[in-house]
Structures are given as structure tokens and as C-alpha cells.
Amino acid sequence: MEYEYMLMRNEKETQNRYCGGRVWCVQDICGIICAVLTWGLILYAEFVVTMVILVPNPYKAYRYINFVIFNTASFLAFASHVRTMLSDPGAVPKGNATKEMIQLLGYQEGQVFFKCPKCCSIKPERAHHCSVCQRCIRKMDHHCPWINNCVGENNQKFFVLFTFYIAFISIHAIFLAVNQFCLCIKSEWRECSNYSPRRR
């Protein structure tokens, strides 16, 4: 009986964990599609800024400096996104609300603690159950479909970095687009970029 319990517990613990428990990935098709869309949008921004705005610019120093800044921030945004997506957000072990575990954790008789009815785990303070991850998450903020993961105690730093880098490359892209627009107004619009629409 004890052996079956341990097998069942190990099976529950490996949910959402891959590569020997080192990688966390939620098997939610909507979240995976949103994460791939996020990567596609970052790549599209790379293409537009590099090929449409920077390559045709006549000023070499302006072109190279902005190329390095934008590509570095885009790489950091992508790396932060992947790290947020593949990090355990602080999942509470499933099925740990047993008499043995309660005694191991040092709870005294009559002491109040909360038990999650959905995943049968002892809920720490500020832990909430996520219906997508099917786990209780410590210091859970929210489940974000764009990262296909919960934002919790262990990956909140990477999520904040991801949103910071995305905001930075968005502001930088707007600045570059406005400069490109002003440059194109001063010169022949057709010769401004290889991707300018042809006049009929």
C-alpha cells in the first residue's frame, strides 16, 4: 500500500515537468498558441525595424547603434519570455495533505491550516489554485496565456523583465518609425524603402 501511494505521488509530482524535472511546461493548447504568437510578433518587429527602417537609412552610425540596441532588447525579451514560460512558478506538491506530511511539517493538533479540495495539498499563505496548471501556486499573481504559465513566486522576476523589455522595444520601434516617416517625407517616398508601396 505504501509503495502504491509513493508511485501515485511521484506520478502527480511529474505533471507539467519534463527533462528529468528541470523544465516546467503547461500542456494548454491555447497557451502554446499564444506563446508562439508572442515569438512571431517579436520576430516580425525584428524584420520591420531591421529591414524596413534601419537598412535603408543613409546614416551608418544611427543604423548600427539602433540595430544593436533593438536586437539586444529583443533577444532579452525573448529569453525572459522563455524563462518565464519554462520555470516552475512555485507549484505546491500535489496530494501532500496526508497525516504523515502534516506531522512532518510540524503542525500541532488543533492548529489551523488550509487544504485545497481540488489538488489535495496543504495551501501555504497567499497560494491559489490554478485551473489551467491544475496546481496550487505559491504567491500566485495570475495565469497568463501569453507565457502559457502562472506568474508566481519563482518566475515573477522573469515576467517583470519580459514586460519591461517588450515595453522598451515598443517605445524604441515607435521612435524609429517616427524618424523614418520624417525622413521619407523629406525625400522621394518611393526611394525611402524597398518595401514602400509602388505608385500606380
Side-chain angles (χ1 to χ4, degrees), residues 108-127:
Q108 304 297 323
E109 192 172 322
Q111 189 174 355
V112 177
F113 62 90
F114 295 100
K115 176 183 168 187
C116 178
K118 294 174 185 168
C119 61
C120 194
S121 63
I122 299 169
K123 287 175 73 170
E125 196 176 328
R126 292 182 57 202

Side-chain angles (χ1 to χ4, degrees), residues 55-74:
V55 168
N57 195 289
Y59 306 108
K60 278 189 176 181
Y62 175 86
R63 187 185 330 159
Y64 293 134
I65 289 168
N66 284 298
F67 178 82
V68 169
I69 292 170
F70 192 83
N71 282 290
T72 302
S74 295

Side-chain angles (χ1 to χ4, degrees), residues 164-185:
F164 169 77
Y165 291 129
I166 288 295
F168 178 80
I169 64 174
S170 300
I171 292 166
H172 191 212
I174 290 170
F175 166 76
L176 293 173
V178 168
N179 276 352
Q180 178 74 3
F181 183 75
C182 293
L183 186 71
C184 290
I185 285 179

Side-chain angles (χ1 to χ4, degrees), residues 16-144:
N16 296 336
R17 291 191 177 275
Y18 302 95
C19 299
R22 290 174 298 191
V23 176
W24 171 277
C25 186
V26 179
Q27 293 179 349
D28 176 41
I29 192 66
C30 175
I32 292 169
I33 290 170
C34 288
V36 171
L37 277 173
T38 302
W39 298 339
L41 289 170
I42 292 172
L43 286 174
Y44 180 71
E46 280 281 325
F47 169 76
V48 170
V49 167
T50 303
M51 300 305 294
V52 178
I53 296 176
L54 293 178
V55 168
N57 195 289
Y59 306 108
K60 278 189 176 181
Y62 175 86
R63 187 185 330 159
Y64 293 134
I65 289 168
N66 284 298
F67 178 82
V68 169
I69 292 170
F70 192 83
N71 282 290
T72 302
S74 295
F75 173 76
L76 290 172
F78 179 78
S80 299
H81 183 273
V82 170
R83 190 75 190 266
T84 308
M85 182 178 167
L86 300 180
S87 293
D88 179 350
V92 177
K94 263 186 158 185
N96 71 350
T98 61
K99 286 184 180 180
E100 297 85 17
M101 187 59 73
I102 292 167
Q103 289 171 350
L104 280 174
L105 290 172
Y107 286 109
Q108 304 297 323
E109 192 172 322
Q111 189 174 355
V112 177
F113 62 90
F114 295 100
K115 176 183 168 187
C116 178
K118 294 174 185 168
C119 61
C120 194
S121 63
I122 299 169
K123 287 175 73 170
E125 196 176 328
R126 292 182 57 202
H128 299 284
H129 185 85
C130 175
S131 58
V132 180
C133 296
Q134 297 175 358
R135 301 288 286 273
C136 282
I137 308 295
R138 290 188 311 272
K139 295 185 182 175
M140 178 183 165
D141 187 79
H142 68 288
H143 183 91
C144 180

